Amino acid sequence: MPELIDRIFFDDLKKQSPEDVCKRTLSSWNQVERCYEITVWNQKCVINPEQYKIDWIKENGKEENKDRAGELHEYFSLFAIHYLLTSKEINLSEKWISEKDIPGGSTFFRGPHEVPTNLVTQKFSKQIDKFKERCEAMHGTPIKMADAAYKFIIAPRIPVALLFWDCDEDFPAEAKLLYDKTIIDHLALDIIFALAVGFCEQFAGEAIN
């Protein structure tokens, strides 16, 4: 279990009804193993509240080796348990917003909490084709925005869009993350920030196997 996840989050999850959690989050409950199973960015996440444990499962059903390149950033474990704890049973709005559009976001997402989209621009400036290849390798779906943009299903109720404008002779490359407006109802600001950091670092890192 990553040290950044306090045991109290598992304790809070134990107090909730599995039926309610699964209904809210579109996850599933394994009664035999007494754990929740949910797909996070195309990887299977298994959360066992009683054992204070989060595992990531490879496609062949084996537990992911934590040292292997390709495992999701540790912030996705933090995201996953909070998603189970706080997400609501609501439909997507189909309206994209930036972090600055979230109530309190214009002051929160500054300084040390600035979303590090610079990691994306540093790696893919003047390489828009490689940006597209990376998006497709990470299970993105193209959308008609910016010079190139893709939507990623991070969790059943949490889509994220990554927009990219390549540099030209007048402007540097720019990237931006957008979220479905309903993210306001699901996650607190600090968890949205953790999701954004994990996303940017994951995207700018080595390709997922």
Side-chain angles (χ1 to χ4, degrees), residues 9-10 12-13 16 24-25 80-87:
F9 299 136
F10 293 95
D12 289 344
L13 190 56
Q16 297 196 23
R24 289 189 295 101
T25 65
I81 193 166
H82 278 274
Y83 176 79
L84 291 186
L85 282 168
T86 63
S87 288

Side-chain angles (χ1 to χ4, degrees), residues 7 33 47 68 74 85 95-96 145 149 151 165 170:
R7 291 169 68 93
E33 300 293 336
I47 300 178
R68 284 177 59 95
E74 65 177 350
L85 282 168
K95 294 180 180 179
W96 294 110
M145 301 176 75
K151 178 177 73 174
W165 294 265
D170 296 316

Side-chain angles (χ1 to χ4, degrees), residues 3 33 44 77 82 91 93 99 130 170 184 186 202:
E3 293 182 0
E33 300 293 336
K44 184 177 179 181
S77 292
H82 278 274
N91 294 325
S93 71
E99 69 274 6
K130 288 189 177 181
D170 296 316
I184 297 169
H186 298 307
Q202 188 79 25

Side-chain angles (χ1 to χ4, degrees), residues 193-204:
F193 175 67
L195 168 61
V197 173
F199 182 99
C200 291
E201 293 192 5
Q202 188 79 25
F203 189 89

